[in-house]
Amino acid sequence: MLKEVLLGVLTGAVALTIGILLGHFAIDKGSSVPDWVRDASRDVDESIIEKFLAELDTNQLRENLRELTKVPHMATTPGDEATVDFMLKRWQDPNTGLDSAWRENYKVYLSFPNKTSPNKVSVVDPANTVQFTAREREKVYKPDQEDPEVVQPYAAYSPAGNVKGKLVYANQGKMSDYELLNRTLDLTGTIAITRYGGEGRSKKFRSLTRSSWYTSFIALNAINAAKFGIVGVLVYTEPYDMNDGLVSESETYPHSWYLPPSGVERGSYNIDFGDLLTPYLAAKDDTYRIPKEDITGIPPIPAQPIGFEDAERLICELDGDDAPNEWQGSLNCTYKLGGPGFKSTSTFNNSNVHLDIYNTERLEYSANVMGIIRGSVEPDRYVIYGNHRDSWVHGAIDPSSGTAVMLEITRVLGKMVKEGKWRPRRSIIFGSWGAEEFGLIGSAEYTEEYFSKLSERTVAYINVDISVFANATLRASASPAAQSVIFTASKQVKAPGTTTTVYENWKQYSNRTSPNYGIIPNVGFLTGAGSDYAAFMHYLGITSMDISYFYDRSKTRARIYPAYHTAYDTFDYASTYIDPGFTSHQAVARTAGNVLLRLADSLLLPFNCSDYAESLDHLTYENNCQKIIFFFFMKQLIEPLENIKEPLKVRQMNDQLMLLDRAFLDPLAFPEQYGFRHVIWASRSSSVPTFPGLADAVEKAESTGLKEDWDQAHKHISIVTQAIAGAAHTLDDVI
Amino acid sequence: MLKEVLLGVLTGAVALTIGILLGHFAIDKGSSVPDWVRDASRDVDESIIEKFLAELDTNQLRENLRELTKVPHMATTPGDEATVDFMLKRWQDPNTGLDSAWRENYKVYLSFPNKTSPNKVSVVDPANTVQFTAREREKVYKPDQEDPEVVQPYAAYSPAGNVKGKLVYANQGKMSDYELLNRTLDLTGTIAITRYGGEGRSKKFRSLTRSSWYTSFIALNAINAAKFGIVGVLVYTEPYDMNDGLVSESETYPHSWYLPPSGVERGSYNIDFGDLLTPYLAAKDDTYRIPKEDITGIPPIPAQPIGFEDAERLICELDGDDAPNEWQGSLNCTYKLGGPGFKSTSTFNNSNVHLDIYNTERLEYSANVMGIIRGSVEPDRYVIYGNHRDSWVHGAIDPSSGTAVMLEITRVLGKMVKEGKWRPRRSIIFGSWGAEEFGLIGSAEYTEEYFSKLSERTVAYINVDISVFANATLRASASPAAQSVIFTASKQVKAPGTTTTVYENWKQYSNRTSPNYGIIPNVGFLTGAGSDYAAFMHYLGITSMDISYFYDRSKTRARIYPAYHTAYDTFDYASTYIDPGFTSHQAVARTAGNVLLRLADSLLLPFNCSDYAESLDHLTYENNCQKIIFFFFMKQLIEPLENIKEPLKVRQMNDQLMLLDRAFLDPLAFPEQYGFRHVIWASRSSSVPTFPGLADAVEKAESTGLKEDWDQAHKHISIVTQAIAGAAHTLDDVI
């Protein structure tokens, strides 16, 4: 009933419909007024947008990608330095560069394998004779895999160590997985083999799927394991989850987009993002660093990823009971739990699995490359567009597909600026972040260093990391305030391989029914820390979005494109299987670039705050507690039309819109979660998608029934209520 | 050497000298430009300021004070309700009121004595026969003291309890005082009698002296005492500290301004400010409240204040060694430490001191009264002017002298607005805060409720609490950014009883030598939580100031006006001994009102960021660590003159100035101190006035020499460095 009332009020409310207003505020442009009066009222020029869209070129995109992926460019390696130089050369080009571009170094804590002592995974019999050794490198199919700079597969931040024990199979290494094993087995001293996690429960909601960096679950795996006395963890890529069950070499890359049997998914096994030694402080040379022993959220025991070819050798020899149905996969046997250890009929009978890990941590300088186009009217308002530059190996898709798009956008915009044809109303900042794969480090350090300035001035952050997962449809996750501008932009771009727009095509693949608009494309939530938007959205409260082209979920179960984080994510892979004509790259460049131009040039910011309310409301029936706070959202930003001719009035409304997401920040709401301060979108453990603090507290209280836990839920209702009321005050009449 | 270099650079730097710029940015006011173009460039109108200053009337000030002090108006009592009605009536007056005014209630946790079971302090012999009882009420000299609503003297938030024990004298109850006693005495089970603290070490710096609420030291007293097994604490007002040694009735009020022997200083014995049950949350009806057991920073043992007449009976009967010289006072005996207990020759021999405390805590609705004048050009920028309304008894000086000034300012401004003669460029918000005496509660809850909005929009906070301590000189404490506007304003006001200006008079009483300006009046720091500026300055990072008229420190040792927090702080006292002609009230109204008008009307905000650097630099030789960070301050806000004609350029510069203090906030710098986030001015325990986190950490490290403590000092250098760099980025070219 309450819901119906709310929906009625919302639908009937006079919202700030930017589109309608846009036609009304142009001031009289008589010749007698000063130039700046004309400038101050300048709005988006649709002809500029058309020109921009037309200039974005598939050949340029292809050549960008080819150049970026010539060599492996893991953070702080010579290959990474080469991409720094390349970015700077492009952004400092006198004909197509930006107003200025420079590098900014941070001294960050990274973890690497040892080139001279590679990590080893083996099976050894009781006399310590080696019976089997897992591959140290992925199999070579193309010259790219032969590059000596291809880093050995490893789990960054896994401690070094030499451990052995009987093997058990622990599914995804969730707490519940280990608890199940622990019911029948003594896990003390064992080694667990686990598979990389799928999407899990987040599927139910419009939440982000696995992305460039999102390894909390894996770090948790090893942390969970250690609680049961397990001494080492192996992680492999299950072909059921990634390859739609295909396992043979003839069916995988270079014959298809699927992962070859020897392919190993690298990853950073840390829960918190940003440099681990300098939480909340930019990692400069002299910055205070916490003792290494005080780092939390990294594996306490050695961990190592392996390919499914090696995993099969280990899993299919296991003794013990059959694993539950949902733990089974596509390897050629019935998965068993382990005796612990191997079955008596196996040549591995009585043998141990041996992990010999030589990872070392060290401080290295990682660079962000920054570039700007100065705004003409409001230089002190920023639209930030970014992507990371570092990869695990060649990183053609992750992240270079995004960097190729960014470079093509800057080429076209830079040219318009250098030719004097255009300059944005607001300043545009481009960020090519370093060391994202190790935990969003470059972007996090940047937000820490420029915290005040960015908080005060940034209108929006656009993240395009992996720009093309596949060729089917646009995928966007965003603060609901940005939904409308993404829709506007995507309606102006043709969807590759179709006769329709990106918007209409997207709506076919993924949609929801909105009480305000009917059927619309499904914009996901930015609840996690999958890429560099995390620090902007969660730490700074800046309206953010993440845009890419994605695959058809009905055609594949792959939790991400299968070459992800392996030595097969190369230019050949990308240009053969992901986007041969580079038309999806172009569609993303056009959509994200169009969003960028609208955010930079619009007189009134194209944010729709009623979409925020509607988007949350859509979910409120999930949780009764959330209904209460909706009354606060009835207030809408309404300003008489005749008042918004004036630059300071426009600025006032824009500030209200800019600061809407900022109002949801509460630095004390999640003291235990690094960098998460946005009370609506912070990372959560419960299955409810929004209001994570409240949802987690209610879930806990419901399970324990303890008064003190209900008190905590009450506390989080108060925190959320105050934050939403604060946002409503921000939107209310300014005095 | 470093210092010399820095000073040289600073002196030579081209600072943003507002005065010079002011003459340059008026735009051409041709008739062809729209009205709003003219409005947008409107600046302070000096003729309006002159008119305003002339209208402020001593008779009105006197009548305001008379009306406000008719009855005692402790927070949430009927007398307090009467002042709410009075404020609303005045601010809603059709001829002299504000644009609108309203009340806002918070449900806050207060502590009161029990009317039917008054607190008792007595001396009882071993047979429990009462030998002496301290007064329950102050002696009646005028009808005011007879009012049944005069609250019994008590220590708010002292727990109820019935304790007795041998008496010891513990000076000011500092940790070092108890340690000294503990060297020779077993304090377990004793009662300590202590004197209210003086200014202590803060005298050395430009720090705030004791103000309306500043009782941390007293709460600490009881917390310290409990650590030594002491079971109860008495606190009295030492005539040496308050009465320049005078103790006889014939020399004290009503014969002079000094405190009568029976006068008792009430106070709130809590360390943290804001409602104690709802930290960081506005105390609304349904807000989550922490369990009472979780409150920290209040006395764990009963405490009670008494007058010096009663203190003399107790102290002068004590046995034991002579107290140290600096513990002696003006009571008619040599102060001894206690046996513990009384001397054998005393009638109190073998007797105990008995505290029977019946304080109760309860939730009560406390009101802020709010009023606004809407800004014409930038309504979304606020100048806030406030004072608390609640007193302990009649509160003529504390706080009604300030409220009288606020009401006279609003009368004159309201009249100009109602007559259509003036409307400020920015919005002005007036706040009449509730429950300040219990710990700045009304203002703290207000900042919690409107956190985002106030953070984003507030240009400055002006606090005028006790407006007149005495008639000698202006006293101002402020963020250094506000120094120049206070100087400008005070130069336009005549100092009462002199032939010179408030500025020149002030400079005679209190000055320092500035490297930039030569000899200038000494503007104090806002380091403490003495009044309602605390939440604005320390929690929100809003440029704040506290303004009053003060006494000649060379003529008296009184740590505050002697009737402070007693039943003698009445209209009679104020109009007889503090400011008979109300000319000092008028001088404060003129100075603070002038500051208010300049902040509300100036095209460019009259904040000087180079004063911030200079003011900090003045102190850097106190601490080597601080020098390092000064390099960051070399950047100055410089904008070519021709650019600042345009409204958005002006706004941009103003935002840089407005947000300067905000950039110094770090919500994680002082996790253990409620509401303190400003890394320069937060409350501190070390003797260094600025950079409290760093100073405290260095002091601790120097005393322990431990590596982990030096690591903490390093951490605080990083925090401060990042904050100052953040402020510099804010002042730097915007892109």
Side-chain angles (χ1 to χ4, degrees):
Chain A
M1 178 55 204
L2 181 53
K3 185 175 147 45
E4 280 67 33
V5 173
L6 288 171
L7 286 179
V9 175
L10 269 169
T11 311
V14 183
L16 172 70
T17 310
I18 302 294
I20 296 172
L21 289 183
L22 278 174
H24 289 78
F25 46 66
I27 70 149
D28 294 335
K29 291 176 185 171
S31 60
S32 57
V33 299
D35 276 357
W36 61 262
V37 175
R38 232 182 315 267
D39 285 347
S41 64
R42 212 189 66 193
D43 200 2
V44 165
D45 180 342
E46 293 291 340
S47 71
I48 289 281
I49 290 187
E50 277 169 38
K51 180 172 166 8
F52 166 78
L53 295 179
E55 292 268 328
L56 296 165
D57 182 51
T58 53
N59 289 320
Q60 294 280 349
L61 285 159
R62 178 185 293 107
E63 294 316 306
N64 287 347
L65 190 67
R66 195 191 306 275
E67 180 68 27
L68 286 164
T69 58
K70 280 198 300 198
V71 295
H73 48 106
M74 184 166 64
T76 76
T77 63
D80 186 30
E81 271 304 303
T83 59
V84 169
D85 293 341
F86 177 58
M87 301 297 295
L88 282 173
K89 186 172 148 248
R90 290 287 301 270
W91 286 357
Q92 291 171 346
D93 186 282
N95 300 313
T96 59
L98 308 176
D99 286 340
S100 62
W102 64 96
R103 67 185 287 161
E104 298 197 19
N105 281 344
Y106 297 100
K107 194 174 176 183
V108 301
Y109 184 71
L110 303 181
S111 160
F112 299 100
N114 188 323
K115 272 196 178 179
T116 54
S117 296
N119 295 340
K120 280 194 167 48
V121 175
S122 53
V123 175
V124 296
D125 71 10
N128 262 347
T129 309
V130 175
Q131 300 182 290
F132 165 78
T133 304
R135 298 184 66 97
E136 282 176 17
R137 295 178 65 95
E138 290 143 313
K139 190 167 172 184
V140 174
Y141 296 108
K142 300 269 176 179
D144 277 333
Q145 285 92 51
E146 283 183 314
D147 193 309
E149 289 297 313
V150 172
V151 71
Q152 191 200 3
Y154 74 112
Y157 302 110
S158 157
N162 189 325
V163 293
K164 60 183 176 184
K166 299 277 183 269
L167 190 69
V168 294
Y169 168 57
N171 191 32
Q172 293 182 345
K174 299 193 296 280
M175 205 58 196
S176 58
D177 295 334
Y178 289 114
E179 280 163 358
L180 188 146
L181 284 179
N182 195 46
R183 263 181 247 150
T184 54
L185 298 174
D186 178 6
L187 298 174
T188 312
T190 61
I191 305 278
I193 183 165
T194 58
R195 67 210 249 181
Y196 274 102
E199 287 175 73
R201 57 189 160 209
S202 64
K203 219 169 181 175
K204 187 175 166 195
F205 305 103
R206 293 187 286 154
S207 140
L208 201 73
T209 53
R210 188 172 180 76
S211 180
S212 180
W213 183 83
Y214 194 78
T215 45
S216 304
F217 284 117
I218 313 167
L220 268 179
N221 177 346
I223 292 167
N224 293 339
K227 289 179 185 153
F228 292 88
I230 292 166
V231 297
V233 169
L234 293 172
V235 189
Y236 79 100
T237 305
E238 165 59 48
Y240 180 89
D241 302 330
M242 192 67 115
N243 273 5
D244 292 318
L246 302 182
V247 294
S248 79
E249 265 193 291
S250 62
E251 296 169 306
T252 54
Y253 180 77
H255 308 292
S256 77
W257 83 323
Y258 289 117
L259 182 67
S262 71
V264 185
E265 193 173 331
R266 292 152 187 81
S268 188
Y269 284 40
N270 49 337
I271 289 176
D272 295 334
F273 62 83
D275 177 52
L276 295 176
L277 292 184
T278 58
Y280 301 110
L281 293 168
K284 316 293 272 187
D285 281 13
D286 298 328
T287 302
Y288 168 71
R289 287 170 166 79
I290 64 170
K292 287 162 196 176
E293 314 82 74
D294 290 0
I295 297 175
T296 54
I298 58 174
I301 54 176
Q304 175 71 16
I306 58 175
F308 65 79
E309 176 183 56
D310 289 330
E312 187 171 57
R313 280 302 306 276
L314 300 176
I315 288 175
C316 290
E317 303 292 322
L318 279 174
D319 200 6
D321 295 338
D322 287 1
N325 270 344
E326 55 281 17
W327 292 27
Q328 298 297 324
S330 301
L331 301 178
N332 193 23
C333 63
T334 299
Y335 297 19
K336 293 180 184 293
L337 300 179
F342 300 106
K343 49 194 174 196
S344 54
T345 56
S346 162
T347 54
F348 296 168
N349 180 32
N350 268 331
S351 291
N352 286 312
V353 169
H354 183 193
L355 269 62
D356 207 6
I357 306 298
Y358 295 96
N359 297 343
T360 55
E361 296 82 38
R362 51 180 192 266
L363 293 174
E364 294 282 354
Y365 287 103
S366 170
N368 291 338
V369 181
M370 307 302 304
I372 54 167
I373 301 176
R374 188 182 163 89
S376 57
V377 180
E378 298 182 90
D380 61 336
R381 286 294 175 268
Y382 309 151
V383 182
I384 306 181
Y385 181 112
N387 178 29
H388 66 105
R389 196 184 57 255
D390 67 304
S391 56
W392 280 118
V393 192
H394 296 82
I397 296 301
D398 179 9
S400 306
S401 64
T403 310
V405 164
M406 179 158 68
L407 282 172
E408 179 57 0
I409 289 174
T410 58
R411 181 187 69 83
V412 178
L413 294 183
K415 190 156 164 277
M416 295 197 300
V417 168
K418 297 289 183 189
E419 290 171 352
K421 292 182 177 155
W422 170 80
R423 181 166 287 286
R425 177 183 180 86
R426 302 180 181 87
S427 296
I428 301 178
I429 298 177
F430 292 96
S432 172
W433 315 120
E436 188 260 13
E437 294 293 3
F438 289 84
L440 319 179
I441 293 179
S443 57
E445 299 310 302
Y446 176 72
T447 59
E448 287 169 349
E449 179 165 10
Y450 299 100
F451 179 82
S452 299
K453 187 165 96 164
L454 297 176
S455 297
E456 291 153 6
R457 299 180 188 158
T458 310
V459 156
Y461 175 69
I462 303 168
N463 196 66
V464 179
D465 179 348
I466 299 170
S467 69
V468 182
F469 292 79
N471 275 321
T473 173
L474 193 76
R475 183 180 76 159
S477 301
S479 164
Q483 174 181 287
S484 65
V485 68
I486 298 172
F487 285 177
T488 305
S490 62
K491 284 173 182 170
Q492 292 188 318
V493 179
K494 193 180 150 295
T498 75
T499 56
T500 184
T501 63
V502 164
Y503 177 87
E504 289 298 330
N505 180 64
W506 179 16
K507 196 165 74 173
Q508 284 168 32
Y509 280 94
S510 174
N511 59 59
R512 67 182 180 95
T513 302
S514 146
N516 293 353
Y517 305 108
I519 297 173
I520 54 173
N522 202 0
V523 174
F525 297 135
L526 281 179
T527 47
S531 182
D532 292 300
Y533 56 77
F536 292 94
M537 186 78 215
H538 299 304
Y539 183 48
L540 296 185
I542 288 167
T543 301
S544 298
M545 63 209 85
D546 185 74
I547 296 173
S548 61
Y549 235 69
F550 208 62
Y551 40 82
D552 180 352
R553 280 241 167 265
S554 71
K555 299 251 171 67
T556 175
R557 273 196 313 269
R559 56 179 162 76
I560 196 160
Y561 69 98
Y564 174 72
H565 287 192
T566 72
Y568 306 109
D569 185 358
T570 58
F571 180 77
D572 178 71
Y573 180 87
S575 59
T576 309
Y577 292 110
I578 300 293
D579 191 21
F582 283 82
T583 51
S584 293
H585 282 78
Q586 187 185 43
V588 171
R590 285 174 169 165
T591 307
N594 192 340
V595 169
L596 173 64
L597 279 179
R598 290 179 182 281
L599 289 169
D601 274 350
S602 292
L603 181 59
L604 270 178
L605 284 173
F607 289 155
N608 192 330
C609 49
S610 67
D611 287 345
Y612 219 122
E614 188 270 323
S615 203
L616 294 181
D617 186 64
H618 177 58
L619 291 155
T620 47
Y621 34 97
E622 302 288 344
N623 187 331
N624 262 326
C625 299
Q626 299 180 7
K627 287 187 185 170
I628 303 162
I629 53 192
F630 260 76
F631 286 114
F632 289 101
F633 249 119
M634 297 302 104
K635 291 180 181 171
Q636 296 291 335
L637 182 60
I638 302 162
E639 184 77 8
L641 291 181
E642 65 271 20
N643 284 347
I644 60 168
K645 287 180 194 169
E646 308 170 20
L648 289 173
K649 287 280 162 61
V650 172
R651 172 79 161 214
Q652 170 190 310
M653 293 178 72
N654 282 338
D655 279 357
Q656 290 179 284
L657 290 165
M658 172 176 84
L659 296 168
L660 175 59
D661 263 305
R662 227 82 93 241
F664 291 115
L665 294 181
D666 183 335
L668 298 151
F670 315 106
E672 74 295 343
Q673 285 193 293
Y674 177 81
F676 284 95
R677 316 194 305 160
H678 197 298
V679 302
I680 296 181
W681 306 120
S683 169
R684 77 223 178 272
S685 62
S686 96
S687 57
V688 177
T690 50
F691 307 117
L694 178 58
D696 285 1
V698 168
E699 183 167 276
K700 185 169 181 203
E702 280 176 343
S703 83
T704 68
L706 292 175
K707 184 186 172 298
E708 66 212 48
D709 288 333
W710 280 113
D711 283 348
Q712 284 305 301
H714 184 186
K715 177 181 164 185
H716 277 283
I717 290 179
S718 294
I719 287 172
V720 167
T721 305
Q722 182 158 306
I724 296 203
H729 296 318
T730 299
L731 293 179
D732 208 356
D733 192 15
V734 294
I735 188 77
Chain B
M1 178 57 206
L2 180 54
K3 185 175 147 46
E4 280 66 32
V5 173
L6 288 169
L7 287 180
V9 176
L10 270 169
T11 311
V14 184
L16 172 71
T17 311
I18 301 297
I20 296 171
L21 290 183
L22 278 175
H24 289 78
F25 46 65
I27 69 150
D28 294 336
K29 290 177 182 169
S31 60
S32 56
V33 300
D35 276 357
W36 60 262
V37 175
R38 232 183 314 269
D39 284 348
S41 63
R42 213 189 67 194
D43 199 3
V44 165
D45 181 341
E46 293 290 341
S47 73
I48 288 281
I49 290 188
E50 277 170 37
K51 181 170 162 11
F52 166 77
L53 296 179
E55 292 267 328
L56 295 166
D57 182 53
T58 53
N59 289 322
Q60 294 280 349
L61 286 159
R62 178 186 292 107
E63 294 316 306
N64 287 348
L65 190 68
R66 195 193 305 275
E67 181 68 28
L68 288 164
T69 57
K70 280 197 302 197
V71 294
H73 48 107
M74 183 167 64
T76 76
T77 63
D80 185 30
E81 271 303 304
T83 61
V84 169
D85 294 341
F86 177 57
M87 300 298 293
L88 282 173
K89 186 170 148 248
R90 289 287 300 272
W91 286 356
Q92 292 170 343
D93 185 283
N95 299 314
T96 59
L98 307 175
D99 285 340
S100 63
W102 64 95
R103 67 183 288 161
E104 297 197 18
N105 281 343
Y106 298 100
K107 194 173 174 183
V108 301
Y109 184 72
L110 304 180
S111 161
F112 299 99
N114 188 322
K115 271 196 177 178
T116 53
S117 297
N119 295 341
K120 280 196 167 47
V121 174
S122 52
V123 175
V124 295
D125 70 11
N128 262 345
T129 310
V130 175
Q131 297 182 294
F132 166 77
T133 305
R135 298 184 67 97
E136 284 176 17
R137 294 177 65 94
E138 289 144 312
K139 190 167 172 183
V140 174
Y141 295 108
K142 300 270 177 178
D144 277 332
Q145 286 90 50
E146 282 183 314
D147 193 309
E149 289 296 313
V150 172
V151 70
Q152 191 201 0
Y154 75 114
Y157 302 110
S158 156
N162 189 324
V163 293
K164 61 184 177 185
K166 299 278 184 267
L167 191 68
V168 295
Y169 169 58
N171 192 30
Q172 293 181 344
K174 298 191 297 278
M175 206 59 195
S176 57
D177 295 333
Y178 289 115
E179 280 162 358
L180 188 147
L181 284 179
N182 195 46
R183 264 181 245 150
T184 54
L185 297 175
D186 177 6
L187 298 174
T188 313
T190 62
I191 305 277
I193 183 165
T194 59
R195 65 211 251 181
Y196 274 104
E199 286 173 76
R201 56 192 162 205
S202 64
K203 216 170 182 175
K204 186 175 166 198
F205 305 103
R206 293 186 286 154
S207 141
L208 201 73
T209 52
R210 190 173 179 74
S211 182
S212 180
W213 183 81
Y214 195 80
T215 43
S216 303
F217 285 118
I218 312 168
L220 268 179
N221 177 347
I223 292 167
N224 293 339
K227 290 178 185 154
F228 293 88
I230 293 166
V231 297
V233 168
L234 293 172
V235 189
Y236 79 101
T237 304
E238 166 59 49
Y240 180 88
D241 303 329
M242 192 67 116
N243 272 5
D244 292 317
L246 301 182
V247 295
S248 80
E249 265 193 289
S250 63
E251 295 169 306
T252 55
Y253 180 76
H255 307 291
S256 76
W257 83 323
Y258 288 117
L259 181 67
S262 72
V264 185
E265 194 173 329
R266 293 152 186 79
S268 189
Y269 283 40
N270 49 336
I271 288 177
D272 295 334
F273 62 83
D275 178 51
L276 295 177
L277 293 184
T278 59
Y280 301 109
L281 293 168
K284 316 292 273 187
D285 281 13
D286 299 328
T287 302
Y288 168 71
R289 287 170 166 78
I290 64 171
K292 287 164 195 175
E293 314 82 75
D294 291 359
I295 296 175
T296 54
I298 57 174
I301 54 175
Q304 175 71 16
I306 59 175
F308 67 78
E309 174 182 58
D310 289 331
E312 185 171 58
R313 279 303 305 278
L314 300 176
I315 288 176
C316 291
E317 304 291 323
L318 280 174
D319 202 3
D321 294 338
D322 286 1
N325 270 345
E326 54 284 16
W327 292 28
Q328 298 296 323
S330 301
L331 301 178
N332 193 23
C333 62
T334 299
Y335 297 19
K336 293 179 184 294
L337 302 178
F342 300 107
K343 51 194 173 193
S344 55
T345 56
S346 163
T347 54
F348 296 167
N349 179 31
N350 268 328
S351 290
N352 287 312
V353 170
H354 183 194
L355 269 63
D356 207 6
I357 306 300
Y358 295 97
N359 296 343
T360 55
E361 296 82 37
R362 51 181 193 266
L363 293 173
E364 294 281 353
Y365 287 104
S366 171
N368 291 339
V369 180
M370 306 303 302
I372 54 168
I373 301 177
R374 187 180 162 90
S376 58
V377 180
E378 298 182 90
D380 61 336
R381 287 295 175 266
Y382 308 152
V383 183
I384 306 182
Y385 180 111
N387 177 29
H388 66 105
R389 197 184 58 254
D390 67 304
S391 56
W392 280 118
V393 191
H394 296 81
I397 295 302
D398 179 10
S400 306
S401 64
T403 310
V405 165
M406 177 158 68
L407 282 172
E408 179 58 359
I409 289 173
T410 57
R411 181 188 69 84
V412 176
L413 295 182
K415 190 155 163 278
M416 295 197 301
V417 168
K418 298 288 183 188
E419 289 171 352
K421 291 182 177 156
W422 169 81
R423 180 166 289 284
R425 177 183 181 86
R426 301 180 182 88
S427 294
I428 302 176
I429 299 177
F430 292 96
S432 171
W433 316 119
E436 188 261 12
E437 294 294 4
F438 289 84
L440 319 180
I441 294 178
S443 57
E445 298 310 302
Y446 176 72
T447 59
E448 288 168 349
E449 180 165 10
Y450 299 100
F451 179 81
S452 300
K453 186 165 97 164
L454 297 176
S455 296
E456 292 152 6
R457 300 180 187 157
T458 310
V459 155
Y461 175 68
I462 304 168
N463 195 65
V464 179
D465 178 348
I466 298 171
S467 70
V468 182
F469 292 79
N471 275 322
T473 173
L474 194 76
R475 183 179 78 158
S477 301
S479 164
Q483 175 181 287
S484 65
V485 67
I486 299 173
F487 285 176
T488 305
S490 63
K491 284 173 182 170
Q492 292 187 316
V493 179
K494 194 180 148 295
T498 75
T499 55
T500 184
T501 63
V502 164
Y503 176 87
E504 290 297 331
N505 180 64
W506 180 16
K507 195 164 74 173
Q508 285 169 31
Y509 279 95
S510 174
N511 60 59
R512 68 181 180 95
T513 303
S514 147
N516 293 353
Y517 306 108
I519 297 173
I520 55 172
N522 201 0
V523 175
F525 297 135
L526 280 180
T527 48
S531 183
D532 291 301
Y533 55 77
F536 292 94
M537 186 78 216
H538 299 303
Y539 184 46
L540 296 184
I542 289 168
T543 301
S544 298
M545 62 209 86
D546 185 73
I547 296 173
S548 61
Y549 235 69
F550 209 61
Y551 41 81
D552 181 353
R553 280 242 166 264
S554 71
K555 300 253 171 67
T556 175
R557 272 195 313 270
R559 58 179 160 77
I560 196 161
Y561 69 98
Y564 175 73
H565 287 192
T566 72
Y568 306 111
D569 184 359
T570 58
F571 180 78
D572 178 71
Y573 180 85
S575 58
T576 308
Y577 292 110
I578 300 293
D579 190 22
F582 284 82
T583 52
S584 293
H585 282 76
Q586 188 185 42
V588 171
R590 285 175 168 164
T591 307
N594 192 340
V595 169
L596 173 65
L597 278 180
R598 289 179 183 281
L599 290 169
D601 274 350
S602 292
L603 180 58
L604 271 179
L605 282 174
F607 288 155
N608 192 329
C609 48
S610 67
D611 287 346
Y612 220 121
E614 187 271 324
S615 203
L616 294 181
D617 186 65
H618 177 59
L619 290 154
T620 48
Y621 37 95
E622 301 288 345
N623 188 332
N624 261 328
C625 300
Q626 299 180 7
K627 287 186 186 169
I628 304 162
I629 53 194
F630 259 77
F631 286 112
F632 289 100
F633 249 120
M634 296 303 103
K635 292 179 180 171
Q636 295 291 335
L637 182 59
I638 302 162
E639 183 78 8
L641 290 182
E642 65 270 22
N643 284 349
I644 60 168
K645 286 179 193 169
E646 307 170 19
L648 289 174
K649 288 278 163 61
V650 172
R651 173 77 162 216
Q652 170 190 311
M653 294 179 70
N654 282 338
D655 279 358
Q656 290 179 285
L657 291 165
M658 172 176 85
L659 296 168
L660 175 60
D661 262 306
R662 226 83 93 238
F664 292 115
L665 294 181
D666 183 336
L668 299 151
F670 315 105
E672 73 296 341
Q673 284 193 293
Y674 177 81
F676 284 96
R677 315 195 305 161
H678 197 298
V679 302
I680 296 181
W681 306 120
S683 170
R684 79 221 176 274
S685 63
S686 96
S687 57
V688 177
T690 49
F691 306 116
L694 177 58
D696 285 1
V698 168
E699 184 167 277
K700 185 170 180 203
E702 280 176 342
S703 83
T704 67
L706 292 176
K707 182 182 174 300
E708 67 210 50
D709 289 333
W710 279 114
D711 283 348
Q712 284 305 300
H714 185 186
K715 177 180 165 186
H716 277 282
I717 289 179
S718 294
I719 287 172
V720 166
T721 305
Q722 181 157 307
I724 295 201
H729 296 317
T730 299
L731 293 180
D732 207 356
D733 192 15
V734 294
I735 188 76

